Amino acid sequence: MSFDLQEAIDVLRRTPATLHALLDDIGERLARCNEGTETFSPFDVVGHLIDGEETDWMPRARIILSDKSDKQFTPYDRFRHRERNANRTLPSLLEEFARLRSANLKELSSWQLTDEQLNLKGTHPTFGDVTLHELLATWVVHDLGHIAQVARVLAKQYRDDVGPWTPFLPVLTDHETPRS
Amino acid sequence: MSFDLQEAIDVLRRTPATLHALLDDIGERLARCNEGTETFSPFDVVGHLIDGEETDWMPRARIILSDKSDKQFTPYDRFRHRERNANRTLPSLLEEFARLRSANLKELSSWQLTDEQLNLKGTHPTFGDVTLHELLATWVVHDLGHIAQVARVLAKQYRDDVGPWTPFLPVLTDHETPRS
């Protein structure tokens, strides 16, 4: 296992401030823009990350670390945020995400996980056995993937404005078929 | 022209704080990691953005707005930063980038550009006539593309740690052949 828990926590700690810098008080056009039907806007991404804090990463870590013999994860609802946040603003979601993340990382750090604990397993609904360190590494990659997505979605709103530069700007043609 | 100068300036203003949140005081492993031979690390990206502040966007805007009849841009050196920053640290580059960007946006705002000025043209060394608004929109997209790149490069350092989750994390397999 090459996974470094302290480095992972350091990266996870950065996400709320990164999204705050990119998105707080951004105009409605950019807050609600997307890459096409059924793709996430920046507003959706922050809602989805909040769902992760409340229903995915730490609840699954707690299942892995529990004394119960059944370590089956609850399936994750990728669209929970839609109804939950119907009347919310993006700044209020950013603030809530920062609060939830901070509390989760405080709890995660307090566990002082050993390598033995990081190798404990839970049962993923789709692909079976996964370890705690795989879950935590996935949390990190999931954050970074959604930061990249927000930057890409914002960039694409300028697609018609860049004239002949398009071939020099690969972000404009990444994910022409949605991948996440 | 749908380009909104104030919105573009607002997005450009966010980049130093976004990169500071993602990268300041990050460990050397992540500061210097990349996606393979000849690809940029986060350290390289910040150096490249500094080059843009000093030699690309504003110098080209000044050429477009000048009274000279020759509006030919100086070719841009994508690798100027390598020698320039050989002995620098990432925090010092982040600080320098923030300072240069702030000064450039102050100057850009002070011009109070009209639609007529935004439609003035310069001559790009590769593809000829480009307008000022195309240059400024490209600046915005270029920033966001590099933010997405930094997030993607960081994510890929956890590629071997996520176990069976890889197919659910498209950021890990974006740009398997370098695109920027």
Coordinates of all heavy atoms in Angstrom, one line a residue, chain B residues 70-99:
Chain B
D70 N 1.7 47.7 -37.8 CA 2.1 46.3 -37.7 C 1.5 45.7 -36.4 O 2.0 46.1 -35.3 CB 3.6 46.2 -37.8 CG 4.1 44.7 -37.6 OD1 3.2 43.8 -37.5 OD2 5.3 44.5 -37.5
K71 N 0.6 44.9 -36.5 CA -0.1 44.3 -35.3 C 0.3 42.8 -35.1 O -0.4 42.0 -34.5 CB -1.6 44.4 -35.4 CG -2.1 45.9 -35.5 CD -2.0 46.6 -34.2 CE -2.4 48.1 -34.4 NZ -3.8 48.4 -34.4
Q72 N 1.5 42.5 -35.6 CA 2.0 41.1 -35.5 C 2.4 40.8 -34.0 O 3.1 41.5 -33.4 CB 3.2 41.0 -36.4 CG 3.8 39.6 -36.5 CD 3.0 38.8 -37.6 OE1 2.5 39.3 -38.6 NE2 2.9 37.5 -37.4
F73 N 1.8 39.6 -33.5 CA 2.2 39.2 -32.1 C 3.6 38.5 -32.1 O 3.9 37.9 -33.1 CB 1.2 38.1 -31.6 CG -0.2 38.6 -31.4 CD1 -1.2 37.6 -31.4 CD2 -0.6 39.9 -31.3 CE1 -2.6 38.0 -31.2 CE2 -1.9 40.3 -31.2 CZ -2.9 39.4 -31.1
T74 N 4.3 38.7 -31.0 CA 5.5 37.9 -30.8 C 5.1 36.5 -30.5 O 4.2 36.2 -29.7 CB 6.3 38.5 -29.6 OG1 6.4 39.9 -29.8 CG2 7.6 37.8 -29.4
P75 N 5.8 35.5 -31.2 CA 5.5 34.1 -30.9 C 5.7 33.8 -29.4 O 6.6 34.4 -28.8 CB 6.5 33.3 -31.7 CG 6.8 34.2 -32.9 CD 6.8 35.6 -32.2
Y76 N 4.8 32.9 -28.9 CA 4.8 32.6 -27.4 C 5.7 31.4 -27.2 O 5.6 30.4 -27.9 CB 3.4 32.4 -27.0 CG 3.2 32.0 -25.6 CD1 3.6 32.9 -24.6 CD2 2.7 30.8 -25.2 CE1 3.5 32.5 -23.2 CE2 2.5 30.4 -23.9 CZ 2.9 31.3 -22.9 OH 2.8 30.9 -21.6
D77 N 6.5 31.5 -26.2 CA 7.4 30.4 -25.8 C 6.8 29.6 -24.7 O 6.8 30.0 -23.5 CB 8.8 30.9 -25.4 CG 9.8 29.9 -25.0 OD1 9.4 28.7 -25.0 OD2 10.9 30.2 -24.6
R78 N 6.3 28.4 -25.0 CA 5.6 27.5 -24.0 C 6.6 27.0 -22.9 O 6.2 26.4 -21.9 CB 4.9 26.4 -24.6 CG 3.7 26.8 -25.4 CD 2.8 25.5 -25.8 NE 2.2 24.9 -24.7 CZ 2.3 23.6 -24.3 NH1 3.1 22.8 -25.1 NH2 1.7 23.1 -23.3
F79 N 7.9 27.1 -23.2 CA 8.9 26.5 -22.3 C 9.8 27.5 -21.6 O 10.8 27.2 -21.0 CB 9.6 25.4 -23.0 CG 8.7 24.3 -23.5 CD1 8.4 24.2 -24.8 CD2 8.1 23.4 -22.6 CE1 7.5 23.3 -25.2 CE2 7.2 22.5 -23.0 CZ 6.9 22.4 -24.3
R80 N 9.5 28.8 -21.8 CA 10.3 29.9 -21.1 C 10.4 29.6 -19.6 O 11.5 29.9 -19.0 CB 9.6 31.2 -21.4 CG 10.1 32.4 -20.6 CD 9.2 33.6 -21.0 NE 9.6 34.9 -20.4 CZ 9.2 35.4 -19.3 NH1 8.2 34.8 -18.6 NH2 9.6 36.6 -18.9
H81 N 9.4 29.1 -19.0 CA 9.4 29.0 -17.5 C 10.4 28.0 -17.0 O 10.8 28.1 -15.9 CB 8.0 28.5 -17.1 CG 7.5 27.3 -17.7 ND1 7.6 26.0 -17.1 CD2 6.9 27.1 -18.9 CE1 7.1 25.1 -17.9 NE2 6.6 25.7 -19.0
R82 N 10.8 27.1 -17.9 CA 11.7 26.0 -17.4 C 13.0 26.6 -16.8 O 13.4 26.3 -15.7 CB 12.0 25.0 -18.5 CG 10.8 24.1 -18.7 CD 11.1 22.9 -19.6 NE 9.9 22.1 -19.7 CZ 9.7 21.2 -20.6 NH1 10.7 21.0 -21.5 NH2 8.7 20.4 -20.6
E83 N 13.7 27.4 -17.7 CA 14.9 28.0 -17.2 C 14.7 29.1 -16.2 O 15.4 29.2 -15.2 CB 15.7 28.6 -18.4 CG 17.1 28.9 -18.2 CD 17.9 29.2 -19.5 OE1 17.5 28.7 -20.6 OE2 18.8 30.0 -19.4
R84 N 13.7 29.9 -16.5 CA 13.4 31.0 -15.6 C 13.2 30.6 -14.1 O 13.6 31.3 -13.2 CB 12.1 31.7 -16.1 CG 11.6 32.9 -15.3 CD 10.2 33.3 -15.7 NE 9.8 34.6 -15.2 CZ 9.2 34.7 -14.0 NH1 9.1 33.7 -13.2 NH2 8.8 35.9 -13.5
N85 N 12.5 29.5 -13.9 CA 12.1 29.1 -12.6 C 12.9 27.9 -12.0 O 12.4 27.3 -11.0 CB 10.6 28.8 -12.6 CG 9.8 29.9 -13.1 OD1 10.1 31.1 -12.9 ND2 8.7 29.6 -13.8
A86 N 14.0 27.7 -12.5 CA 14.8 26.5 -12.1 C 15.1 26.4 -10.6 O 15.1 25.3 -10.0 CB 16.1 26.4 -12.9
N87 N 15.3 27.6 -10.0 CA 15.6 27.6 -8.6 C 14.5 28.1 -7.7 O 14.7 28.5 -6.5 CB 16.9 28.4 -8.4 CG 18.0 27.8 -9.1 OD1 18.3 26.7 -9.0 ND2 18.7 28.7 -9.9
R88 N 13.3 28.1 -8.2 CA 12.2 28.7 -7.5 C 11.4 27.6 -6.7 O 11.5 26.4 -7.0 CB 11.2 29.4 -8.4 CG 11.9 30.5 -9.2 CD 12.1 31.7 -8.2 NE 10.8 32.2 -7.7 CZ 10.0 33.1 -8.4 NH1 10.4 33.6 -9.5 NH2 8.9 33.5 -7.8
T89 N 10.6 28.1 -5.7 CA 9.7 27.1 -5.0 C 8.2 27.4 -5.5 O 7.9 28.5 -6.0 CB 9.7 27.4 -3.5 OG1 9.2 28.7 -3.3 CG2 11.1 27.3 -3.0
L90 N 7.4 26.4 -5.4 CA 6.0 26.6 -5.8 C 5.3 27.8 -5.1 O 4.6 28.6 -5.7 CB 5.2 25.3 -5.7 CG 3.8 25.3 -6.1 CD1 3.6 25.9 -7.5 CD2 3.2 23.9 -6.1
P91 N 5.4 27.9 -3.7 CA 4.8 29.0 -3.1 C 5.2 30.3 -3.6 O 4.4 31.3 -3.7 CB 5.2 28.8 -1.6 CG 5.4 27.3 -1.4 CD 6.0 26.9 -2.7
S92 N 6.5 30.5 -3.9 CA 7.0 31.8 -4.4 C 6.4 32.1 -5.8 O 6.1 33.2 -6.2 CB 8.5 31.9 -4.4 OG 9.1 31.3 -5.6
L93 N 6.2 31.0 -6.6 CA 5.6 31.2 -8.0 C 4.1 31.6 -7.8 O 3.6 32.4 -8.6 CB 5.7 29.9 -8.8 CG 7.1 29.6 -9.3 CD1 7.0 28.3 -10.2 CD2 7.8 30.7 -10.0
L94 N 3.4 31.0 -6.9 CA 2.0 31.3 -6.7 C 1.9 32.7 -6.3 O 1.0 33.4 -6.7 CB 1.4 30.4 -5.6 CG 1.2 28.9 -6.0 CD1 1.0 28.0 -4.8 CD2 0.0 28.8 -7.0
E95 N 2.8 33.2 -5.4 CA 2.7 34.6 -4.9 C 3.0 35.5 -6.1 O 2.3 36.5 -6.3 CB 3.7 34.7 -3.8 CG 3.7 36.1 -3.1 CD 4.4 37.2 -3.8 OE1 5.5 36.9 -4.4 OE2 3.9 38.3 -3.8
E96 N 4.0 35.2 -6.9 CA 4.3 36.0 -8.1 C 3.2 36.1 -9.1 O 2.9 37.1 -9.6 CB 5.6 35.5 -8.7 CG 6.1 36.5 -9.8 CD 7.4 36.0 -10.5 OE1 7.8 34.8 -10.3 OE2 8.1 36.8 -11.1
F97 N 2.6 34.9 -9.4 CA 1.5 34.9 -10.3 C 0.4 35.8 -9.8 O -0.2 36.5 -10.6 CB 1.0 33.4 -10.5 CG -0.2 33.3 -11.3 CD1 -0.3 33.8 -12.6 CD2 -1.3 32.7 -10.8 CE1 -1.5 33.7 -13.3 CE2 -2.5 32.6 -11.5 CZ -2.6 33.1 -12.8
A98 N 0.0 35.7 -8.5 CA -1.1 36.5 -8.0 C -0.8 38.0 -8.2 O -1.7 38.8 -8.5 CB -1.3 36.1 -6.5
R99 N 0.4 38.4 -8.0 CA 0.8 39.8 -8.1 C 0.7 40.3 -9.5 O 0.2 41.3 -9.8 CB 2.2 39.9 -7.5 CG 2.7 41.3 -7.2 CD 3.9 41.4 -6.3 NE 4.8 40.3 -6.3 CZ 5.8 40.1 -7.2 NH1 6.0 41.0 -8.2 NH2 6.5 39.0 -7.2

